Amino acid sequence: DAGVIQSPRHEVTEMGQEVTLRCKPISGHDYLFWYRQTMMRGLELLIYFNNNVPIDDSGMPEDRFSAKMPNASFSTLKIQPSEPRDSAVYFCASRRTGPYGYTFGSGTRLTVV
Amino acid sequence: AQSVTQPDIHITVSEGASLELRCNYSYGATPYLFWYVQSPGQGLQLLLKYFSGDTLVQGIKGFEAEFKRSQSSFNLRKPSVHWSDAAEYFCAVGTSSNTGKLIFGQGTTLQVKP
């Protein structure tokens, strides 16, 4: 099992540009989560999906952020337009229904200059 | 709404000494509790979890945690710390084994002195 795969590992972009982060969950996992980690705010849940359907997006900071899960093996988090305050590490995680833990990807470190 | 408090932002212990990291949660029903570890530049790795049953749970790398409902706590322990245990540790609470949200504490950074 390759685990949760995120790409890219690092992204540096200019303010105003569109940024797309990608995630491949573990096969068979029916939940997918996007988290953001910053020094100031710690780990924040942005949105999560169950069976490809968004369940709770109350953590998405504003309309510049959007997430999709077109199928069970792929999800994207898009920021358009990006701002310097979006600089953070973005983690994707997945799990399957039941008494199981959440498996995290290695994260994408986003820097907006 | 559920929440998690890790009172200690930073802890330093000597190698070979025992360790206890504190975690307090707030949730009205039975919580589902987790401890994760994060090494610099890495993702989060699950150390252990509690869903039900025995309140003392064993995890990987020699860690254990005890769920105490009366104290709303889920403290992480290790009898003898190794230098490789230096990392950031996160306690987290979920509301159900069948729903999504996992809420994290602010984390405790562990430094190990030689």
Side-chain angles (χ1 to χ4, degrees), chain A residues 31-52:
Chain A
Y31 284 90
L32 183 138
F33 307 82
W34 283 101
Y35 283 86
R36 177 172 68 176
Q37 185 178 36
T38 60
M39 289 292 292
M40 291 298 296
R41 301 176 68 88
L43 276 158
E44 303 173 276
L45 175 64
L46 300 178
I47 185 171
Y48 77 93
F49 297 82
N50 179 221
N51 292 321
N52 313 336

mmCIF file with all atom_site columns, all heavy atoms in Angstrom, chain A residues 31-52:
data_model
loop_
_atom_site.group_PDB
_atom_site.id
_atom_site.type_symbol
_atom_site.label_atom_id
_atom_site.label_alt_id
_atom_site.label_comp_id
_atom_site.label_asym_id
_atom_site.label_entity_id
_atom_site.label_seq_id
_atom_site.pdbx_PDB_ins_code
_atom_site.Cartn_x
_atom_site.Cartn_y
_atom_site.Cartn_z
_atom_site.occupancy
_atom_site.B_iso_or_equiv
_atom_site.pdbx_formal_charge
_atom_site.auth_seq_id
_atom_site.auth_comp_id
_atom_site.auth_asym_id
_atom_site.auth_atom_id
_atom_site.pdbx_PDB_model_num
ATOM 1   N N   . TYR A 1 31 ? -13.532 7.903  3.282  1.00 0.00 ? 31 TYR A N   1
ATOM 2   C CA  . TYR A 1 31 ? -13.498 9.287  3.755  1.00 0.00 ? 31 TYR A CA  1
ATOM 3   C C   . TYR A 1 31 ? -12.196 9.936  3.299  1.00 0.00 ? 31 TYR A C   1
ATOM 4   O O   . TYR A 1 31 ? -11.119 9.317  3.361  1.00 0.00 ? 31 TYR A O   1
ATOM 5   C CB  . TYR A 1 31 ? -13.547 9.361  5.283  1.00 0.00 ? 31 TYR A CB  1
ATOM 6   C CG  . TYR A 1 31 ? -14.897 9.108  5.890  1.00 0.00 ? 31 TYR A CG  1
ATOM 7   C CD1 . TYR A 1 31 ? -15.308 7.836  6.249  1.00 0.00 ? 31 TYR A CD1 1
ATOM 8   C CD2 . TYR A 1 31 ? -15.770 10.173 6.127  1.00 0.00 ? 31 TYR A CD2 1
ATOM 9   C CE1 . TYR A 1 31 ? -16.544 7.615  6.809  1.00 0.00 ? 31 TYR A CE1 1
ATOM 10  C CE2 . TYR A 1 31 ? -17.014 9.960  6.702  1.00 0.00 ? 31 TYR A CE2 1
ATOM 11  C CZ  . TYR A 1 31 ? -17.394 8.678  7.046  1.00 0.00 ? 31 TYR A CZ  1
ATOM 12  O OH  . TYR A 1 31 ? -18.612 8.456  7.610  1.00 0.00 ? 31 TYR A OH  1
ATOM 13  N N   . LEU A 1 32 ? -12.309 11.211 2.915  1.00 0.00 ? 32 LEU A N   1
ATOM 14  C CA  . LEU A 1 32 ? -11.121 11.973 2.557  1.00 0.00 ? 32 LEU A CA  1
ATOM 15  C C   . LEU A 1 32 ? -11.211 13.350 3.196  1.00 0.00 ? 32 LEU A C   1
ATOM 16  O O   . LEU A 1 32 ? -12.286 13.970 3.173  1.00 0.00 ? 32 LEU A O   1
ATOM 17  C CB  . LEU A 1 32 ? -10.977 12.107 1.035  1.00 0.00 ? 32 LEU A CB  1
ATOM 18  C CG  . LEU A 1 32 ? -9.706  12.840 0.568  1.00 0.00 ? 32 LEU A CG  1
ATOM 19  C CD1 . LEU A 1 32 ? -9.095  12.138 -0.640 1.00 0.00 ? 32 LEU A CD1 1
ATOM 20  C CD2 . LEU A 1 32 ? -9.958  14.295 0.281  1.00 0.00 ? 32 LEU A CD2 1
ATOM 21  N N   . PHE A 1 33 ? -10.091 13.804 3.746  1.00 0.00 ? 33 PHE A N   1
ATOM 22  C CA  . PHE A 1 33 ? -10.052 15.057 4.499  1.00 0.00 ? 33 PHE A CA  1
ATOM 23  C C   . PHE A 1 33 ? -8.935  15.952 3.965  1.00 0.00 ? 33 PHE A C   1
ATOM 24  O O   . PHE A 1 33 ? -7.877  15.472 3.585  1.00 0.00 ? 33 PHE A O   1
ATOM 25  C CB  . PHE A 1 33 ? -9.749  14.773 5.984  1.00 0.00 ? 33 PHE A CB  1
ATOM 26  C CG  . PHE A 1 33 ? -10.651 13.767 6.613  1.00 0.00 ? 33 PHE A CG  1
ATOM 27  C CD1 . PHE A 1 33 ? -10.418 12.411 6.463  1.00 0.00 ? 33 PHE A CD1 1
ATOM 28  C CD2 . PHE A 1 33 ? -11.753 14.170 7.345  1.00 0.00 ? 33 PHE A CD2 1
ATOM 29  C CE1 . PHE A 1 33 ? -11.243 11.469 7.033  1.00 0.00 ? 33 PHE A CE1 1
ATOM 30  C CE2 . PHE A 1 33 ? -12.599 13.236 7.917  1.00 0.00 ? 33 PHE A CE2 1
ATOM 31  C CZ  . PHE A 1 33 ? -12.343 11.891 7.759  1.00 0.00 ? 33 PHE A CZ  1
ATOM 32  N N   . TRP A 1 34 ? -9.201  17.235 3.995  1.00 0.00 ? 34 TRP A N   1
ATOM 33  C CA  . TRP A 1 34 ? -8.159  18.233 3.729  1.00 0.00 ? 34 TRP A CA  1
ATOM 34  C C   . TRP A 1 34 ? -7.963  19.069 4.992  1.00 0.00 ? 34 TRP A C   1
ATOM 35  O O   . TRP A 1 34 ? -8.914  19.634 5.531  1.00 0.00 ? 34 TRP A O   1
ATOM 36  C CB  . TRP A 1 34 ? -8.551  19.147 2.576  1.00 0.00 ? 34 TRP A CB  1
ATOM 37  C CG  . TRP A 1 34 ? -8.404  18.542 1.219  1.00 0.00 ? 34 TRP A CG  1
ATOM 38  C CD1 . TRP A 1 34 ? -9.387  18.011 0.431  1.00 0.00 ? 34 TRP A CD1 1
ATOM 39  C CD2 . TRP A 1 34 ? -7.194  18.431 0.453  1.00 0.00 ? 34 TRP A CD2 1
ATOM 40  N NE1 . TRP A 1 34 ? -8.867  17.559 -0.763 1.00 0.00 ? 34 TRP A NE1 1
ATOM 41  C CE2 . TRP A 1 34 ? -7.520  17.819 -0.773 1.00 0.00 ? 34 TRP A CE2 1
ATOM 42  C CE3 . TRP A 1 34 ? -5.864  18.789 0.689  1.00 0.00 ? 34 TRP A CE3 1
ATOM 43  C CZ2 . TRP A 1 34 ? -6.568  17.558 -1.764 1.00 0.00 ? 34 TRP A CZ2 1
ATOM 44  C CZ3 . TRP A 1 34 ? -4.922  18.531 -0.290 1.00 0.00 ? 34 TRP A CZ3 1
ATOM 45  C CH2 . TRP A 1 34 ? -5.280  17.916 -1.504 1.00 0.00 ? 34 TRP A CH2 1
ATOM 46  N N   . TYR A 1 35 ? -6.695  19.118 5.433  1.00 0.00 ? 35 TYR A N   1
ATOM 47  C CA  . TYR A 1 35 ? -6.311  19.912 6.589  1.00 0.00 ? 35 TYR A CA  1
ATOM 48  C C   . TYR A 1 35 ? -5.274  20.945 6.170  1.00 0.00 ? 35 TYR A C   1
ATOM 49  O O   . TYR A 1 35 ? -4.512  20.743 5.229  1.00 0.00 ? 35 TYR A O   1
ATOM 50  C CB  . TYR A 1 35 ? -5.691  19.044 7.690  1.00 0.00 ? 35 TYR A CB  1
ATOM 51  C CG  . TYR A 1 35 ? -6.666  18.250 8.513  1.00 0.00 ? 35 TYR A CG  1
ATOM 52  C CD1 . TYR A 1 35 ? -7.109  17.002 8.100  1.00 0.00 ? 35 TYR A CD1 1
ATOM 53  C CD2 . TYR A 1 35 ? -7.134  18.737 9.724  1.00 0.00 ? 35 TYR A CD2 1
ATOM 54  C CE1 . TYR A 1 35 ? -7.999  16.266 8.859  1.00 0.00 ? 35 TYR A CE1 1
ATOM 55  C CE2 . TYR A 1 35 ? -8.027  18.012 10.504 1.00 0.00 ? 35 TYR A CE2 1
ATOM 56  C CZ  . TYR A 1 35 ? -8.457  16.774 10.065 1.00 0.00 ? 35 TYR A CZ  1
ATOM 57  O OH  . TYR A 1 35 ? -9.330  16.052 10.831 1.00 0.00 ? 35 TYR A OH  1
ATOM 58  N N   . ARG A 1 36 ? -5.236  22.033 6.931  1.00 0.00 ? 36 ARG A N   1
ATOM 59  C CA  . ARG A 1 36 ? -4.200  23.040 6.738  1.00 0.00 ? 36 ARG A CA  1
ATOM 60  C C   . ARG A 1 36 ? -3.468  23.205 8.057  1.00 0.00 ? 36 ARG A C   1
ATOM 61  O O   . ARG A 1 36 ? -4.106  23.267 9.122  1.00 0.00 ? 36 ARG A O   1
ATOM 62  C CB  . ARG A 1 36 ? -4.827  24.372 6.309  1.00 0.00 ? 36 ARG A CB  1
ATOM 63  C CG  . ARG A 1 36 ? -3.840  25.501 6.143  1.00 0.00 ? 36 ARG A CG  1
ATOM 64  C CD  . ARG A 1 36 ? -4.494  26.724 5.526  1.00 0.00 ? 36 ARG A CD  1
ATOM 65  N NE  . ARG A 1 36 ? -5.459  27.359 6.395  1.00 0.00 ? 36 ARG A NE  1
ATOM 66  C CZ  . ARG A 1 36 ? -6.088  28.491 6.082  1.00 0.00 ? 36 ARG A CZ  1
ATOM 67  N NH1 . ARG A 1 36 ? -5.841  29.082 4.927  1.00 0.00 ? 36 ARG A NH1 1
ATOM 68  N NH2 . ARG A 1 36 ? -6.956  29.008 6.926  1.00 0.00 ? 36 ARG A NH2 1
ATOM 69  N N   . GLN A 1 37 ? -2.140  23.291 7.996  1.00 0.00 ? 37 GLN A N   1
ATOM 70  C CA  . GLN A 1 37 ? -1.345  23.457 9.217  1.00 0.00 ? 37 GLN A CA  1
ATOM 71  C C   . GLN A 1 37 ? -0.511  24.727 9.135  1.00 0.00 ? 37 GLN A C   1
ATOM 72  O O   . GLN A 1 37 ? 0.271   24.911 8.196  1.00 0.00 ? 37 GLN A O   1
ATOM 73  C CB  . GLN A 1 37 ? -0.424  22.245 9.434  1.00 0.00 ? 37 GLN A CB  1
ATOM 74  C CG  . GLN A 1 37 ? 0.346   22.294 10.748 1.00 0.00 ? 37 GLN A CG  1
ATOM 75  C CD  . GLN A 1 37 ? 1.212   21.065 10.971 1.00 0.00 ? 37 GLN A CD  1
ATOM 76  O OE1 . GLN A 1 37 ? 1.784   20.508 10.046 1.00 0.00 ? 37 GLN A OE1 1
ATOM 77  N NE2 . GLN A 1 37 ? 1.293   20.613 12.218 1.00 0.00 ? 37 GLN A NE2 1
ATOM 78  N N   . THR A 1 38 ? -0.685  25.579 10.130 1.00 0.00 ? 38 THR A N   1
ATOM 79  C CA  . THR A 1 38 ? 0.121   26.782 10.261 1.00 0.00 ? 38 THR A CA  1
ATOM 80  C C   . THR A 1 38 ? 0.595   26.892 11.702 1.00 0.00 ? 38 THR A C   1
ATOM 81  O O   . THR A 1 38 ? 0.023   26.272 12.606 1.00 0.00 ? 38 THR A O   1
ATOM 82  C CB  . THR A 1 38 ? -0.669  28.055 9.906  1.00 0.00 ? 38 THR A CB  1
ATOM 83  O OG1 . THR A 1 38 ? -1.792  28.156 10.809 1.00 0.00 ? 38 THR A OG1 1
ATOM 84  C CG2 . THR A 1 38 ? -1.177  28.016 8.480  1.00 0.00 ? 38 THR A CG2 1
ATOM 85  N N   . MET A 1 39 ? 1.621   27.689 11.903 1.00 0.00 ? 39 MET A N   1
ATOM 86  C CA  . MET A 1 39 ? 2.122   27.887 13.272 1.00 0.00 ? 39 MET A CA  1
ATOM 87  C C   . MET A 1 39 ? 1.053   28.552 14.130 1.00 0.00 ? 39 MET A C   1
ATOM 88  O O   . MET A 1 39 ? 0.881   28.205 15.303 1.00 0.00 ? 39 MET A O   1
ATOM 89  C CB  . MET A 1 39 ? 3.384   28.737 13.243 1.00 0.00 ? 39 MET A CB  1
ATOM 90  C CG  . MET A 1 39 ? 4.596   28.036 12.675 1.00 0.00 ? 39 MET A CG  1
ATOM 91  S SD  . MET A 1 39 ? 5.170   26.712 13.732 1.00 0.00 ? 39 MET A SD  1
ATOM 92  C CE  . MET A 1 39 ? 5.756   27.664 15.131 1.00 0.00 ? 39 MET A CE  1
ATOM 93  N N   . MET A 1 40 ? 0.360   29.512 13.547 1.00 0.00 ? 40 MET A N   1
ATOM 94  C CA  . MET A 1 40 ? -0.587  30.295 14.337 1.00 0.00 ? 40 MET A CA  1
ATOM 95  C C   . MET A 1 40 ? -1.857  29.525 14.680 1.00 0.00 ? 40 MET A C   1
ATOM 96  O O   . MET A 1 40 ? -2.389  29.643 15.780 1.00 0.00 ? 40 MET A O   1
ATOM 97  C CB  . MET A 1 40 ? -0.961  31.563 13.578 1.00 0.00 ? 40 MET A CB  1
ATOM 98  C CG  . MET A 1 40 ? 0.182   32.562 13.461 1.00 0.00 ? 40 MET A CG  1
ATOM 99  S SD  . MET A 1 40 ? 0.727   33.162 15.069 1.00 0.00 ? 40 MET A SD  1
ATOM 100 C CE  . MET A 1 40 ? -0.736  34.026 15.617 1.00 0.00 ? 40 MET A CE  1
ATOM 101 N N   . ARG A 1 41 ? -2.340  28.725 13.750 1.00 0.00 ? 41 ARG A N   1
ATOM 102 C CA  . ARG A 1 41 ? -3.658  28.113 13.913 1.00 0.00 ? 41 ARG A CA  1
ATOM 103 C C   . ARG A 1 41 ? -3.622  26.601 14.070 1.00 0.00 ? 41 ARG A C   1
ATOM 104 O O   . ARG A 1 41 ? -4.672  25.971 14.264 1.00 0.00 ? 41 ARG A O   1
ATOM 105 C CB  . ARG A 1 41 ? -4.545  28.499 12.733 1.00 0.00 ? 41 ARG A CB  1
ATOM 106 C CG  . ARG A 1 41 ? -4.734  30.013 12.593 1.00 0.00 ? 41 ARG A CG  1
ATOM 107 C CD  . ARG A 1 41 ? -5.538  30.339 11.339 1.00 0.00 ? 41 ARG A CD  1
ATOM 108 N NE  . ARG A 1 41 ? -6.907  29.887 11.453 1.00 0.00 ? 41 ARG A NE  1
ATOM 109 C CZ  . ARG A 1 41 ? -7.902  30.606 11.977 1.00 0.00 ? 41 ARG A CZ  1
ATOM 110 N NH1 . ARG A 1 41 ? -7.668  31.827 12.422 1.00 0.00 ? 41 ARG A NH1 1
ATOM 111 N NH2 . ARG A 1 41 ? -9.121  30.115 12.040 1.00 0.00 ? 41 ARG A NH2 1
ATOM 112 N N   . GLY A 1 42 ? -2.424  26.031 13.970 1.00 0.00 ? 42 GLY A N   1
ATOM 113 C CA  . GLY A 1 42 ? -2.320  24.582 14.128 1.00 0.00 ? 42 GLY A CA  1
ATOM 114 C C   . GLY A 1 42 ? -2.946  23.845 12.967 1.00 0.00 ? 42 GLY A C   1
ATOM 115 O O   . GLY A 1 42 ? -2.935  24.318 11.826 1.00 0.00 ? 42 GLY A O   1
ATOM 116 N N   . LEU A 1 43 ? -3.526  22.683 13.249 1.00 0.00 ? 43 LEU A N   1
ATOM 117 C CA  . LEU A 1 43 ? -4.160  21.850 12.230 1.00 0.00 ? 43 LEU A CA  1
ATOM 118 C C   . LEU A 1 43 ? -5.641  22.181 12.154 1.00 0.00 ? 43 LEU A C   1
ATOM 119 O O   . LEU A 1 43 ? -6.385  21.961 13.106 1.00 0.00 ? 43 LEU A O   1
ATOM 120 C CB  . LEU A 1 43 ? -3.987  20.379 12.571 1.00 0.00 ? 43 LEU A CB  1
ATOM 121 C CG  . LEU A 1 43 ? -2.671  19.739 12.148 1.00 0.00 ? 43 LEU A CG  1
ATOM 122 C CD1 . LEU A 1 43 ? -2.388  18.509 12.980 1.00 0.00 ? 43 LEU A CD1 1
ATOM 123 C CD2 . LEU A 1 43 ? -2.688  19.382 10.666 1.00 0.00 ? 43 LEU A CD2 1
ATOM 124 N N   . GLU A 1 44 ? -6.076  22.650 10.999 1.00 0.00 ? 44 GLU A N   1
ATOM 125 C CA  . GLU A 1 44 ? -7.468  23.012 10.802 1.00 0.00 ? 44 GLU A CA  1
ATOM 126 C C   . GLU A 1 44 ? -8.080  22.103 9.736  1.00 0.00 ? 44 GLU A C   1
ATOM 127 O O   . GLU A 1 44 ? -7.508  21.943 8.659  1.00 0.00 ? 44 GLU A O   1
ATOM 128 C CB  . GLU A 1 44 ? -7.602  24.445 10.289 1.00 0.00 ? 44 GLU A CB  1
ATOM 129 C CG  . GLU A 1 44 ? -6.989  25.516 11.132 1.00 0.00 ? 44 GLU A CG  1
ATOM 130 C CD  . GLU A 1 44 ? -7.059  26.846 10.390 1.00 0.00 ? 44 GLU A CD  1
ATOM 131 O OE1 . GLU A 1 44 ? -6.169  27.112 9.557  1.00 0.00 ? 44 GLU A OE1 1
ATOM 132 O OE2 . GLU A 1 44 ? -8.015  27.598 10.634 1.00 0.00 ? 44 GLU A OE2 1
ATOM 133 N N   . LEU A 1 45 ? -9.247  21.582 10.034 1.00 0.00 ? 45 LEU A N   1
ATOM 134 C CA  . LEU A 1 45 ? -9.980  20.813 9.046  1.00 0.00 ? 45 LEU A CA  1
ATOM 135 C C   . LEU A 1 45 ? -10.653 21.773 8.078  1.00 0.00 ? 45 LEU A C   1
ATOM 136 O O   . LEU A 1 45 ? -11.423 22.637 8.495  1.00 0.00 ? 45 LEU A O   1
ATOM 137 C CB  . LEU A 1 45 ? -11.017 19.928 9.725  1.00 0.00 ? 45 LEU A CB  1
ATOM 138 C CG  . LEU A 1 45 ? -11.942 19.139 8.805  1.00 0.00 ? 45 LEU A CG  1
ATOM 139 C CD1 . LEU A 1 45 ? -11.158 18.128 7.985  1.00 0.00 ? 45 LEU A CD1 1
ATOM 140 C CD2 . LEU A 1 45 ? -13.034 18.441 9.607  1.00 0.00 ? 45 LEU A CD2 1
ATOM 141 N N   . LEU A 1 46 ? -10.372 21.615 6.798  1.00 0.00 ? 46 LEU A N   1
ATOM 142 C CA  . LEU A 1 46 ? -10.971 22.497 5.798  1.00 0.00 ? 46 LEU A CA  1
ATOM 143 C C   . LEU A 1 46 ? -12.274 21.917 5.259  1.00 0.00 ? 46 LEU A C   1
ATOM 144 O O   . LEU A 1 46 ? -13.303 22.594 5.217  1.00 0.00 ? 46 LEU A O   1
ATOM 145 C CB  . LEU A 1 46 ? -9.991  22.710 4.640  1.00 0.00 ? 46 LEU A CB  1
ATOM 146 C CG  . LEU A 1 46 ? -8.647  23.352 5.000  1.00 0.00 ? 46 LEU A CG  1
ATOM 147 C CD1 . LEU A 1 46 ? -7.766  23.445 3.762  1.00 0.00 ? 46 LEU A CD1 1
ATOM 148 C CD2 . LEU A 1 46 ? -8.862  24.721 5.624  1.00 0.00 ? 46 LEU A CD2 1
ATOM 149 N N   . ILE A 1 47 ? -12.219 20.666 4.847  1.00 0.00 ? 47 ILE A N   1
ATOM 150 C CA  . ILE A 1 47 ? -13.364 20.014 4.235  1.00 0.00 ? 47 ILE A CA  1
ATOM 151 C C   . ILE A 1 47 ? -13.147 18.517 4.299  1.00 0.00 ? 47 ILE A C   1
ATOM 152 O O   . ILE A 1 47 ? -12.010 18.051 4.356  1.00 0.00 ? 47 ILE A O   1
ATOM 153 C CB  . ILE A 1 47 ? -13.537 20.465 2.767  1.00 0.00 ? 47 ILE A CB  1
ATOM 154 C CG1 . ILE A 1 47 ? -14.803 19.884 2.130  1.00 0.00 ? 47 ILE A CG1 1
ATOM 155 C CG2 . ILE A 1 47 ? -12.310 20.108 1.938  1.00 0.00 ? 47 ILE A CG2 1
ATOM 156 C CD1 . ILE A 1 47 ? -15.127 20.476 0.754  1.00 0.00 ? 47 ILE A CD1 1
ATOM 157 N N   . TYR A 1 48 ? -14.279 17.755 4.323  1.00 0.00 ? 48 TYR A N   1
ATOM 158 C CA  . TYR A 1 48 ? -14.126 16.328 4.162  1.00 0.00 ? 48 TYR A CA  1
ATOM 159 C C   . TYR A 1 48 ? -15.236 15.743 3.306  1.00 0.00 ? 48 TYR A C   1
ATOM 160 O O   . TYR A 1 48 ? -16.324 16.313 3.203  1.00 0.00 ? 48 TYR A O   1
ATOM 161 C CB  . TYR A 1 48 ? -13.968 15.603 5.490  1.00 0.00 ? 48 TYR A CB  1
ATOM 162 C CG  . TYR A 1 48 ? -15.209 15.391 6.325  1.00 0.00 ? 48 TYR A CG  1
ATOM 163 C CD1 . TYR A 1 48 ? -15.952 14.218 6.215  1.00 0.00 ? 48 TYR A CD1 1
ATOM 164 C CD2 . TYR A 1 48 ? -15.577 16.315 7.283  1.00 0.00 ? 48 TYR A CD2 1
ATOM 165 C CE1 . TYR A 1 48 ? -17.051 13.996 7.016  1.00 0.00 ? 48 TYR A CE1 1
ATOM 166 C CE2 . TYR A 1 48 ? -16.673 16.102 8.094  1.00 0.00 ? 48 TYR A CE2 1
ATOM 167 C CZ  . TYR A 1 48 ? -17.410 14.936 7.967  1.00 0.00 ? 48 TYR A CZ  1
ATOM 168 O OH  . TYR A 1 48 ? -18.502 14.724 8.768  1.00 0.00 ? 48 TYR A OH  1
ATOM 169 N N   . PHE A 1 49 ? -14.914 14.634 2.685  1.00 0.00 ? 49 PHE A N   1
ATOM 170 C CA  . PHE A 1 49 ? -15.795 13.935 1.771  1.00 0.00 ? 49 PHE A CA  1
ATOM 171 C C   . PHE A 1 49 ? -16.069 12.525 2.307  1.00 0.00 ? 49 PHE A C   1
ATOM 172 O O   . PHE A 1 49 ? -15.204 11.908 2.931  1.00 0.00 ? 49 PHE A O   1
ATOM 173 C CB  . PHE A 1 49 ? -15.138 13.762 0.394  1.00 0.00 ? 49 PHE A CB  1
ATOM 174 C CG  . PHE A 1 49 ? -14.829 15.038 -0.329 1.00 0.00 ? 49 PHE A CG  1
ATOM 175 C CD1 . PHE A 1 49 ? -13.680 15.766 -0.035 1.00 0.00 ? 49 PHE A CD1 1
ATOM 176 C CD2 . PHE A 1 49 ? -15.686 15.514 -1.304 1.00 0.00 ? 49 PHE A CD2 1
ATOM 177 C CE1 . PHE A 1 49 ? -13.397 16.939 -0.714 1.00 0.00 ? 49 PHE A CE1 1
ATOM 178 C CE2 . PHE A 1 49 ? -15.400 16.687 -1.994 1.00 0.00 ? 49 PHE A CE2 1
ATOM 179 C CZ  . PHE A 1 49 ? -14.254 17.401 -1.696 1.00 0.00 ? 49 PHE A CZ  1
ATOM 180 N N   . ASN A 1 50 ? -17.268 12.048 2.012  1.00 0.00 ? 50 ASN A N   1
ATOM 181 C CA  . ASN A 1 50 ? -17.604 10.657 2.257  1.00 0.00 ? 50 ASN A CA  1
ATOM 182 C C   . ASN A 1 50 ? -18.158 10.090 0.960  1.00 0.00 ? 50 ASN A C   1
ATOM 183 O O   . ASN A 1 50 ? -19.128 10.639 0.416  1.00 0.00 ? 50 ASN A O   1
ATOM 184 C CB  . ASN A 1 50 ? -18.615 10.530 3.399  1.00 0.00 ? 50 ASN A CB  1
ATOM 185 C CG  . ASN A 1 50 ? -19.019 9.091  3.676  1.00 0.00 ? 50 ASN A CG  1
ATOM 186 O OD1 . ASN A 1 50 ? -20.185 8.790  3.920  1.00 0.00 ? 50 ASN A OD1 1
ATOM 187 N ND2 . ASN A 1 50 ? -18.084 8.178  3.649  1.00 0.00 ? 50 ASN A ND2 1
ATOM 188 N N   . ASN A 1 51 ? -17.559 9.018  0.485  1.00 0.00 ? 51 ASN A N   1
ATOM 189 C CA  . ASN A 1 51 ? -17.982 8.441  -0.800 1.00 0.00 ? 51 ASN A CA  1
ATOM 190 C C   . ASN A 1 51 ? -18.058 9.503  -1.897 1.00 0.00 ? 51 ASN A C   1
ATOM 191 O O   . ASN A 1 51 ? -19.037 9.576  -2.647 1.00 0.00 ? 51 ASN A O   1
ATOM 192 C CB  . ASN A 1 51 ? -19.316 7.716  -0.644 1.00 0.00 ? 51 ASN A CB  1
ATOM 193 C CG  . ASN A 1 51 ? -19.188 6.480  0.212  1.00 0.00 ? 51 ASN A CG  1
ATOM 194 O OD1 . ASN A 1 51 ? -18.202 5.750  0.140  1.00 0.00 ? 51 ASN A OD1 1
ATOM 195 N ND2 . ASN A 1 51 ? -20.178 6.233  1.053  1.00 0.00 ? 51 ASN A ND2 1
ATOM 196 N N   . ASN A 1 52 ? -17.055 10.350 -1.937 1.00 0.00 ? 52 ASN A N   1
ATOM 197 C CA  . ASN A 1 52 ? -16.864 11.376 -2.957 1.00 0.00 ? 52 ASN A CA  1
ATOM 198 C C   . ASN A 1 52 ? -17.798 12.580 -2.800 1.00 0.00 ? 52 ASN A C   1
ATOM 199 O O   . ASN A 1 52 ? -17.736 13.503 -3.612 1.00 0.00 ? 52 ASN A O   1
ATOM 200 C CB  . ASN A 1 52 ? -17.032 10.816 -4.381 1.00 0.00 ? 52 ASN A CB  1
ATOM 201 C CG  . ASN A 1 52 ? -16.285 9.525  -4.594 1.00 0.00 ? 52 ASN A CG  1
ATOM 202 O OD1 . ASN A 1 52 ? -15.314 9.239  -3.912 1.00 0.00 ? 52 ASN A OD1 1
ATOM 203 N ND2 . ASN A 1 52 ? -16.759 8.724  -5.541 1.00 0.00 ? 52 ASN A ND2 1
#
